[in-house]
mmCIF file of all heavy atoms in Angstrom:
data_model
loop_
_atom_site.group_PDB
_atom_site.id
_atom_site.type_symbol
_atom_site.label_atom_id
_atom_site.label_comp_id
_atom_site.label_asym_id
_atom_site.label_seq_id
_atom_site.Cartn_x
_atom_site.Cartn_y
_atom_site.Cartn_z
ATOM 1 N N ALA A 305 -34.281 -42.881 1.809
ATOM 2 C CA ALA A 305 -35.424 -43.195 0.966
ATOM 3 C C ALA A 305 -35.641 -42.070 -0.096
ATOM 4 O O ALA A 305 -36.578 -41.402 -0.105
ATOM 5 C CB ALA A 305 -36.674 -43.338 1.850
ATOM 6 N N ALA A 306 -34.619 -41.975 -0.977
ATOM 7 C CA ALA A 306 -34.598 -40.798 -1.853
ATOM 8 C C ALA A 306 -34.414 -41.107 -3.338
ATOM 9 O O ALA A 306 -33.957 -40.329 -4.037
ATOM 10 C CB ALA A 306 -33.519 -39.874 -1.340
ATOM 11 N N SER A 307 -34.879 -42.337 -3.724
ATOM 12 C CA SER A 307 -34.789 -42.494 -5.198
ATOM 13 C C SER A 307 -35.929 -41.993 -5.980
ATOM 14 O O SER A 307 -35.972 -41.792 -7.153
ATOM 15 C CB SER A 307 -34.676 -44.043 -5.493
ATOM 16 O OG SER A 307 -35.872 -44.694 -5.090
ATOM 17 N N LYS A 308 -36.970 -41.580 -5.149
ATOM 18 C CA LYS A 308 -38.248 -41.036 -5.776
ATOM 19 C C LYS A 308 -38.892 -40.121 -4.826
ATOM 20 O O LYS A 308 -38.543 -39.937 -3.638
ATOM 21 C CB LYS A 308 -39.291 -42.232 -5.945
ATOM 22 C CG LYS A 308 -38.870 -43.285 -6.942
ATOM 23 C CD LYS A 308 -40.057 -44.289 -6.934
ATOM 24 C CE LYS A 308 -39.624 -45.622 -7.468
ATOM 25 N NZ LYS A 308 -40.588 -46.679 -7.170
ATOM 26 N N GLY A 309 -39.933 -39.497 -5.322
ATOM 27 C CA GLY A 309 -40.855 -38.742 -4.422
ATOM 28 C C GLY A 309 -40.190 -37.666 -3.530
ATOM 29 O O GLY A 309 -39.372 -36.880 -3.924
ATOM 30 N N LEU A 310 -40.670 -37.582 -2.332
ATOM 31 C CA LEU A 310 -40.293 -36.479 -1.419
ATOM 32 C C LEU A 310 -38.837 -36.566 -0.982
ATOM 33 O O LEU A 310 -38.188 -35.484 -0.914
ATOM 34 C CB LEU A 310 -41.218 -36.496 -0.203
ATOM 35 C CG LEU A 310 -42.733 -36.452 -0.491
ATOM 36 C CD1 LEU A 310 -43.528 -36.530 0.883
ATOM 37 C CD2 LEU A 310 -43.069 -35.217 -1.281
ATOM 38 N N ALA A 329 -32.102 -46.108 -0.956
ATOM 39 C CA ALA A 329 -33.438 -46.809 -1.341
ATOM 40 C C ALA A 329 -33.112 -48.144 -1.436
ATOM 41 O O ALA A 329 -31.938 -48.610 -1.512
ATOM 42 C CB ALA A 329 -34.006 -46.140 -2.650
ATOM 43 N N ARG A 330 -34.150 -49.012 -1.495
ATOM 44 C CA ARG A 330 -33.970 -50.449 -1.671
ATOM 45 C C ARG A 330 -33.631 -50.794 -3.042
ATOM 46 O O ARG A 330 -32.718 -51.552 -3.374
ATOM 47 C CB ARG A 330 -35.202 -51.207 -1.143
ATOM 48 C CG ARG A 330 -35.417 -51.079 0.378
ATOM 49 C CD ARG A 330 -36.786 -51.519 0.731
ATOM 50 N NE ARG A 330 -37.799 -50.639 0.050
ATOM 51 C CZ ARG A 330 -39.063 -50.808 0.213
ATOM 52 N NH1 ARG A 330 -39.606 -51.690 0.983
ATOM 53 N NH2 ARG A 330 -39.923 -49.962 -0.457
ATOM 54 N N GLY A 331 -34.388 -50.231 -4.035
ATOM 55 C CA GLY A 331 -34.174 -50.588 -5.470
ATOM 56 C C GLY A 331 -33.003 -49.920 -6.044
ATOM 57 O O GLY A 331 -32.952 -48.654 -6.108
ATOM 58 N N GLY A 355 -30.345 -50.229 0.006
ATOM 59 C CA GLY A 355 -30.578 -51.059 1.170
ATOM 60 C C GLY A 355 -31.869 -50.571 1.921
ATOM 61 O O GLY A 355 -32.324 -49.449 1.570
ATOM 62 N N ASP A 356 -32.367 -51.467 2.757
ATOM 63 C CA ASP A 356 -33.550 -51.071 3.466
ATOM 64 C C ASP A 356 -33.261 -50.335 4.832
ATOM 65 O O ASP A 356 -32.574 -50.934 5.743
ATOM 66 C CB ASP A 356 -34.268 -52.386 3.918
ATOM 67 C CG ASP A 356 -35.583 -52.174 4.570
ATOM 68 O OD1 ASP A 356 -35.837 -51.097 5.076
ATOM 69 O OD2 ASP A 356 -36.364 -53.155 4.569
ATOM 70 N N ILE A 357 -33.578 -49.046 4.834
ATOM 71 C CA ILE A 357 -33.122 -48.247 5.942
ATOM 72 C C ILE A 357 -33.769 -48.575 7.208
ATOM 73 O O ILE A 357 -33.391 -48.125 8.329
ATOM 74 C CB ILE A 357 -33.386 -46.728 5.491
ATOM 75 C CG1 ILE A 357 -32.507 -45.729 6.385
ATOM 76 C CG2 ILE A 357 -34.871 -46.320 5.612
ATOM 77 C CD1 ILE A 357 -31.129 -45.797 6.025
ATOM 78 N N THR A 358 -34.836 -49.378 7.139
ATOM 79 C CA THR A 358 -35.547 -49.773 8.394
ATOM 80 C C THR A 358 -34.902 -50.947 9.029
ATOM 81 O O THR A 358 -35.348 -51.419 10.087
ATOM 82 C CB THR A 358 -36.987 -50.078 8.147
ATOM 83 O OG1 THR A 358 -37.130 -51.311 7.362
ATOM 84 C CG2 THR A 358 -37.733 -48.930 7.380
ATOM 85 N N ASN A 379 -36.391 -40.524 6.225
ATOM 86 C CA ASN A 379 -37.554 -40.760 5.418
ATOM 87 C C ASN A 379 -37.647 -42.359 5.220
ATOM 88 O O ASN A 379 -36.622 -42.994 5.266
ATOM 89 C CB ASN A 379 -37.496 -40.042 4.105
ATOM 90 C CG ASN A 379 -38.697 -40.223 3.231
ATOM 91 O OD1 ASN A 379 -39.816 -40.306 3.700
ATOM 92 N ND2 ASN A 379 -38.499 -40.293 1.880
ATOM 93 N N ALA A 380 -38.775 -42.846 5.002
ATOM 94 C CA ALA A 380 -38.975 -44.280 4.674
ATOM 95 C C ALA A 380 -40.361 -44.372 4.062
ATOM 96 O O ALA A 380 -41.121 -43.423 4.098
ATOM 97 C CB ALA A 380 -38.760 -45.170 5.914
ATOM 98 N N GLY A 381 -40.651 -45.558 3.475
ATOM 99 C CA GLY A 381 -41.994 -45.738 3.020
ATOM 100 C C GLY A 381 -43.052 -45.666 4.167
ATOM 101 O O GLY A 381 -42.665 -45.885 5.315
ATOM 102 N N GLY A 382 -44.217 -45.388 3.818
ATOM 103 C CA GLY A 382 -45.216 -45.311 4.910
ATOM 104 C C GLY A 382 -45.929 -46.617 5.056
ATOM 105 O O GLY A 382 -45.941 -47.462 4.206
ATOM 106 N N ILE A 429 -39.209 -36.475 7.648
ATOM 107 C CA ILE A 429 -40.377 -36.346 6.772
ATOM 108 C C ILE A 429 -41.494 -37.266 7.463
ATOM 109 O O ILE A 429 -41.259 -38.444 7.752
ATOM 110 C CB ILE A 429 -40.089 -36.976 5.385
ATOM 111 C CG1 ILE A 429 -39.073 -36.040 4.696
ATOM 112 C CG2 ILE A 429 -41.417 -36.991 4.553
ATOM 113 C CD1 ILE A 429 -38.610 -36.515 3.332
ATOM 114 N N THR A 430 -42.551 -36.667 7.851
ATOM 115 C CA THR A 430 -43.596 -37.399 8.596
ATOM 116 C C THR A 430 -44.854 -37.387 7.677
ATOM 117 O O THR A 430 -44.875 -37.884 6.693
ATOM 118 C CB THR A 430 -43.818 -36.947 10.017
ATOM 119 O OG1 THR A 430 -44.163 -35.533 10.022
ATOM 120 C CG2 THR A 430 -42.580 -37.175 10.820
ATOM 121 N N SER A 431 -45.906 -36.767 8.169
ATOM 122 C CA SER A 431 -47.144 -36.733 7.444
ATOM 123 C C SER A 431 -48.103 -35.707 8.124
ATOM 124 O O SER A 431 -48.074 -35.424 9.295
ATOM 125 C CB SER A 431 -47.792 -38.145 7.493
ATOM 126 O OG SER A 431 -49.153 -38.056 6.998
ATOM 127 N N ARG A 448 -45.892 -42.108 13.728
ATOM 128 C CA ARG A 448 -45.322 -40.788 13.482
ATOM 129 C C ARG A 448 -45.577 -39.817 14.601
ATOM 130 O O ARG A 448 -44.761 -38.968 14.950
ATOM 131 C CB ARG A 448 -45.906 -40.186 12.146
ATOM 132 C CG ARG A 448 -45.559 -41.008 10.939
ATOM 133 C CD ARG A 448 -45.986 -40.338 9.743
ATOM 134 N NE ARG A 448 -46.133 -41.110 8.471
ATOM 135 C CZ ARG A 448 -45.260 -41.379 7.664
ATOM 136 N NH1 ARG A 448 -44.011 -41.012 7.948
ATOM 137 N NH2 ARG A 448 -45.487 -42.072 6.598
ATOM 138 N N PRO A 474 -46.024 -33.633 4.986
ATOM 139 C CA PRO A 474 -46.649 -33.519 3.640
ATOM 140 C C PRO A 474 -48.173 -33.804 3.763
ATOM 141 O O PRO A 474 -48.639 -34.721 4.430
ATOM 142 C CB PRO A 474 -45.983 -34.466 2.868
ATOM 143 C CG PRO A 474 -45.423 -35.574 3.815
ATOM 144 C CD PRO A 474 -45.169 -34.806 5.111
ATOM 145 N N GLY A 475 -48.908 -32.969 3.069
ATOM 146 C CA GLY A 475 -50.389 -33.301 2.703
ATOM 147 C C GLY A 475 -50.333 -34.222 1.530
ATOM 148 O O GLY A 475 -49.839 -35.373 1.627
ATOM 149 N N SER A 476 -50.917 -33.739 0.462
ATOM 150 C CA SER A 476 -50.977 -34.647 -0.748
ATOM 151 C C SER A 476 -50.025 -34.214 -1.759
ATOM 152 O O SER A 476 -50.213 -33.127 -2.422
ATOM 153 C CB SER A 476 -52.404 -34.592 -1.371
ATOM 154 O OG SER A 476 -53.354 -35.119 -0.401
ATOM 155 N N PHE A 477 -48.943 -34.929 -1.958
ATOM 156 C CA PHE A 477 -47.908 -34.625 -2.901
ATOM 157 C C PHE A 477 -47.888 -35.607 -4.098
ATOM 158 O O PHE A 477 -48.116 -36.862 -3.790
ATOM 159 C CB PHE A 477 -46.482 -34.654 -2.289
ATOM 160 C CG PHE A 477 -46.209 -33.369 -1.663
ATOM 161 C CD1 PHE A 477 -46.719 -32.930 -0.448
ATOM 162 C CD2 PHE A 477 -45.449 -32.328 -2.258
ATOM 163 C CE1 PHE A 477 -46.519 -31.763 0.123
ATOM 164 C CE2 PHE A 477 -45.210 -31.083 -1.709
ATOM 165 C CZ PHE A 477 -45.803 -30.785 -0.531
ATOM 166 N N THR A 479 -46.716 -38.097 -5.925
ATOM 167 C CA THR A 479 -45.641 -39.038 -5.935
ATOM 168 C C THR A 479 -46.229 -40.443 -6.268
ATOM 169 O O THR A 479 -47.484 -40.597 -6.295
ATOM 170 C CB THR A 479 -44.955 -39.197 -4.601
ATOM 171 O OG1 THR A 479 -45.938 -39.697 -3.671
ATOM 172 C CG2 THR A 479 -44.421 -37.803 -4.090
ATOM 173 N N ASP A 480 -45.362 -41.426 -6.388
ATOM 174 C CA ASP A 480 -45.832 -42.772 -6.679
ATOM 175 C C ASP A 480 -46.744 -43.305 -5.489
ATOM 176 O O ASP A 480 -47.723 -43.941 -5.824
ATOM 177 C CB ASP A 480 -44.651 -43.728 -6.789
ATOM 178 C CG ASP A 480 -43.962 -43.604 -8.104
ATOM 179 O OD1 ASP A 480 -44.294 -42.687 -8.899
ATOM 180 O OD2 ASP A 480 -42.994 -44.389 -8.367
ATOM 181 N N ARG A 481 -46.396 -42.869 -4.408
ATOM 182 C CA ARG A 481 -47.286 -43.365 -3.222
ATOM 183 C C ARG A 481 -48.679 -42.785 -3.323
ATOM 184 O O ARG A 481 -49.615 -43.429 -3.168
ATOM 185 C CB ARG A 481 -46.663 -42.934 -1.866
ATOM 186 C CG ARG A 481 -47.560 -43.308 -0.691
ATOM 187 C CD ARG A 481 -46.826 -43.216 0.652
ATOM 188 N NE ARG A 481 -47.724 -43.312 1.786
ATOM 189 C CZ ARG A 481 -47.956 -44.440 2.444
ATOM 190 N NH1 ARG A 481 -47.353 -45.575 2.041
ATOM 191 N NH2 ARG A 481 -48.817 -44.448 3.467
ATOM 192 N N LEU A 482 -48.809 -41.455 -3.698
ATOM 193 C CA LEU A 482 -50.096 -40.868 -3.775
ATOM 194 C C LEU A 482 -50.950 -41.518 -4.955
ATOM 195 O O LEU A 482 -51.997 -41.905 -4.768
ATOM 196 C CB LEU A 482 -49.926 -39.346 -4.031
ATOM 197 C CG LEU A 482 -51.322 -38.667 -4.124
ATOM 198 C CD1 LEU A 482 -51.700 -38.119 -2.660
ATOM 199 C CD2 LEU A 482 -51.248 -37.470 -5.068
HETATM 200 P P1 NAP B 635 -42.670 -42.714 -2.943
HETATM 201 O O1 NAP B 635 -42.859 -41.732 -4.044
HETATM 202 O O2 NAP B 635 -43.336 -44.022 -2.938
HETATM 203 O O3 NAP B 635 -41.075 -42.825 -2.642
HETATM 204 C C1 NAP B 635 -40.628 -43.587 -1.583
HETATM 205 C C2 NAP B 635 -39.127 -43.552 -1.632
HETATM 206 O O4 NAP B 635 -38.675 -44.248 -0.480
HETATM 207 C C3 NAP B 635 -38.599 -44.414 -2.779
HETATM 208 O O5 NAP B 635 -37.328 -43.923 -3.131
HETATM 209 C C4 NAP B 635 -38.435 -45.836 -2.159
HETATM 210 O O6 NAP B 635 -37.586 -46.618 -2.905
HETATM 211 C C5 NAP B 635 -37.898 -45.438 -0.743
HETATM 212 N N1 NAP B 635 -38.103 -46.341 0.290
HETATM 213 C C6 NAP B 635 -39.371 -46.799 0.701
HETATM 214 N N2 NAP B 635 -39.139 -47.736 1.698
HETATM 215 C C7 NAP B 635 -37.771 -47.774 1.962
HETATM 216 C C8 NAP B 635 -36.987 -48.424 2.904
HETATM 217 N N3 NAP B 635 -37.516 -49.354 3.720
HETATM 218 N N4 NAP B 635 -35.615 -48.233 2.920
HETATM 219 C C9 NAP B 635 -35.068 -47.358 1.975
HETATM 220 N N5 NAP B 635 -35.842 -46.734 1.061
HETATM 221 C C10 NAP B 635 -37.126 -46.878 1.089
HETATM 222 O O7 NAP B 635 -43.170 -42.033 -1.475
HETATM 223 P P2 NAP B 635 -43.454 -40.511 -1.088
HETATM 224 O O8 NAP B 635 -44.728 -40.036 -1.456
HETATM 225 O O9 NAP B 635 -42.247 -39.684 -1.390
HETATM 226 O O10 NAP B 635 -43.423 -40.695 0.542
HETATM 227 C C11 NAP B 635 -42.393 -40.463 1.343
HETATM 228 C C12 NAP B 635 -42.882 -40.547 2.852
HETATM 229 O O11 NAP B 635 -43.782 -39.482 2.982
HETATM 230 C C13 NAP B 635 -43.673 -41.880 3.142
HETATM 231 O O12 NAP B 635 -43.380 -42.213 4.406
HETATM 232 C C14 NAP B 635 -45.087 -41.393 3.006
HETATM 233 O O13 NAP B 635 -45.977 -42.167 3.765
HETATM 234 C C15 NAP B 635 -45.021 -40.063 3.498
HETATM 235 N N6 NAP B 635 -46.112 -39.217 2.982
HETATM 236 C C16 NAP B 635 -46.337 -38.958 1.706
HETATM 237 C C17 NAP B 635 -47.401 -38.154 1.361
HETATM 238 C C18 NAP B 635 -47.593 -37.870 -0.116
HETATM 239 O O14 NAP B 635 -48.614 -37.147 -0.476
HETATM 240 N N7 NAP B 635 -46.852 -38.245 -1.111
HETATM 241 C C19 NAP B 635 -48.359 -37.730 2.295
HETATM 242 C C20 NAP B 635 -48.095 -37.964 3.633
HETATM 243 C C21 NAP B 635 -47.020 -38.702 3.969
HETATM 244 P P3 NAP B 635 -37.582 -48.212 -2.770
HETATM 245 O O15 NAP B 635 -38.974 -48.612 -2.846
HETATM 246 O O16 NAP B 635 -36.671 -48.650 -3.971
HETATM 247 O O17 NAP B 635 -36.907 -48.550 -1.430
#
Side-chain angles (χ1 to χ4, degrees):
S307 66
K308 295 181 203 165
L310 303 179
R330 292 164 303 179
D356 184 340
I357 200 69
T358 69
N379 186 32
I429 299 181
T430 61
S431 170
R448 297 187 200 276
S476 296
F477 276 80
T479 65
D480 284 5
R481 177 169 169 94
L482 183 89

